[in-house]
Amino acid sequence: MSGDREPLSPLEQRMLDGLLQVADEESVHNGRKKRSGFAWLTVAAVTVLGLGAAAAVPALLQPSTPDTPAQLSPAPGHIGYRKVMTGNQYVSTRHLGGDFVDITAEIRDTAELWAELGDPRTIRAKLEPHQVLHCAPVDNRGLCANWLADNTGKNLGLRLTPEDRTVRGVGSRTDPDASGLSYQTINLLPTDRVGNRPVAELAGTPEELTAQLDELARQSRYDGQKHFEGAVSRWDRLRYAVEVLLAIGATPRQRAAAWTVATRAAEVAETPATDRLGRAGRALVYDTSPGLRRELVIDPATHTLLSQSETVAPPKDTQRQTYPVASVSYTLYLAEGAVRSLAEVR
């Protein structure tokens, strides 16, 4: 296809998908072979007095509630697509009139991400501006009305305008300086690999998958000629299990096996849960270190990962911070799958 040709409209793309499906079915009937197709949250100690009292501020962002994302089989193509909503709850303290006033603000944004499933690859990031979802105290508009403008440029990665960036010739380890993308965005790029292996090579039973993930963990301990000793930890298994849940092209059977591996590694039982968009699911809630709690929520029907979040325990009152520091960080997964172009969505 010519590089200057206009991309297909959604209607045209659906028509093309239908024609390709018919062609595939006819090829089977004719006897021909069918075509094959979070960095951990790092925070400074902060106070979260009044954290639970945060209320919605009128005229602030009102989030939509999309349906539970369906895991679709990969389309003929070599590009992964993912749509996510990310958020942080920031806490800071101001000294006003002889009293300490705690400010809590929940900031959210939406991103659409494309990445070729190869190396080197072309990636595209379509990023919406950050918006204030909640802010408190609601009775002091001076502290919340201009929260975004007041805190832009303070190494929080806030965007006041949309961005649409395409970067070509990117390696498997994307450099933030070269790409102009944040580490958070880079870590969310779609991929069909888990560690250094294609997800298609991984097993669909918990026992076999555990052995494969342990081997991936051992391989990752090599740094050049140096080998880092030590047994594979349950945190290694958890990390790779989440990668399987998020991998483009992972089958329902693989995701179910990965969830079992994660449940065993977390050493907690899954419980009913609802994510921040009101989607019902099952959750694993566990402590990764003193004062740091993580939650994974899946759709139990498809074992699709709906969200993951991390929360920091409230620090001592003597550790108040005048600048915003994240006390909660989360990612909500809205859609993903394999597509044919950097303009197609799922």
Side-chain angles (χ1 to χ4, degrees):
M1 181 180 291
S2 174
D4 58 358
R5 181 173 298 177
E6 291 292 326
L8 297 178
S9 68
L11 176 59
E12 292 170 332
Q13 186 65 62
R14 287 195 296 271
M15 293 173 63
L16 178 58
D17 290 342
L19 291 173
L20 290 174
Q21 181 178 356
V22 171
D24 282 339
E25 293 172 353
E26 289 180 350
S27 68
V28 172
H29 293 317
N30 292 334
R32 296 192 299 272
K33 184 178 180 181
K34 189 175 181 179
R35 292 190 296 270
S36 62
F38 194 78
W40 294 108
L41 175 67
T42 303
V43 299
V46 298
T47 180
V48 289
L49 294 176
L51 190 61
V57 177
L60 299 183
L61 172 65
Q62 297 299 321
S64 60
T65 305
D67 294 333
T68 297
Q71 274 278 357
L72 303 176
S73 299
H78 63 289
I79 299 172
Y81 169 80
R82 174 171 291 145
K83 184 176 183 179
V84 297
M85 187 177 288
T86 60
N88 287 284
Q89 188 164 19
Y90 291 101
V91 182
S92 59
T93 301
R94 292 278 295 275
H95 190 248
L96 298 173
D99 294 325
F100 288 104
V101 178
D102 298 311
I103 307 167
T104 63
E106 185 173 349
I107 312 303
R108 190 177 284 184
D109 73 306
T110 302
E112 290 184 275
L113 307 168
W114 293 261
E116 290 183 328
L117 304 176
D119 191 14
R121 57 184 177 165
T122 297
I123 60 178
R124 179 190 175 196
K126 185 179 179 182
L127 311 172
E128 296 300 323
H130 285 87
Q131 293 180 288
V132 179
L133 181 63
H134 302 293
C135 188
V138 294
D139 58 350
N140 192 330
R141 295 287 296 171
L143 298 177
C144 286
N146 299 311
W147 194 96
L148 275 175
D150 292 342
N151 292 286
T152 299
K154 294 184 179 179
N155 297 320
L156 301 182
L158 299 175
R159 289 185 305 277
L160 299 181
T161 58
E163 294 182 15
D164 194 341
R165 185 185 303 271
T166 299
V167 186
R168 305 184 185 280
V170 178
S172 57
R173 296 186 177 183
T174 305
D175 179 44
D177 293 333
S179 65
L181 301 174
S182 67
Y183 277 112
Q184 182 188 39
T185 301
I186 291 171
N187 288 334
L188 290 170
L189 288 171
T191 178
D192 63 350
R193 302 185 71 84
V194 176
N196 62 358
R197 292 188 65 174
V199 70
E201 296 180 0
L202 298 182
T205 65
E207 290 71 23
E208 292 178 293
L209 183 60
T210 297
Q212 291 175 324
L213 299 186
D214 285 357
E215 180 59 29
L216 286 174
R218 284 189 288 269
Q219 292 174 358
S220 71
R221 293 175 182 271
Y222 283 92
D223 182 12
Q225 300 300 314
K226 186 177 180 180
H227 178 60
F228 296 90
E229 301 292 342
V232 174
S233 72
R234 64 191 184 104
W235 307 120
D236 291 323
R237 291 177 182 169
L238 261 168
R239 176 168 61 91
Y240 284 118
V242 171
E243 288 189 20
V244 175
L245 291 171
L246 289 173
I248 302 298
T251 66
R253 189 163 180 258
Q254 287 175 314
R255 293 195 300 272
W259 184 249
T260 299
V261 173
T263 303
R264 294 172 179 174
E267 298 181 350
V268 297
E270 65 175 56
T271 57
T274 302
D275 74 0
R276 285 174 170 79
L277 293 178
R279 299 176 296 183
R282 305 286 293 180
L284 293 179
V285 182
Y286 54 93
D287 294 331
T288 60
S289 61
L292 184 60
R293 173 158 291 194
R294 193 177 191 197
E295 179 186 71
L296 306 173
V297 181
I298 63 157
D299 170 12
T302 63
H303 289 90
T304 299
L305 187 62
L306 300 179
S307 70
Q308 56 179 323
S309 62
E310 291 173 331
T311 304
V312 180
K316 299 177 181 179
D317 291 347
T318 56
Q319 297 172 321
R320 299 175 182 268
Q321 299 292 338
T322 59
Y323 53 86
V325 180
S327 60
V328 180
S329 179
Y330 59 86
T331 302
L332 304 164
Y333 300 95
L334 308 182
E336 64 182 34
V339 295
R340 297 181 180 84
S341 75
L342 296 177
E344 184 183 348
V345 301
R346 300 302 294 263

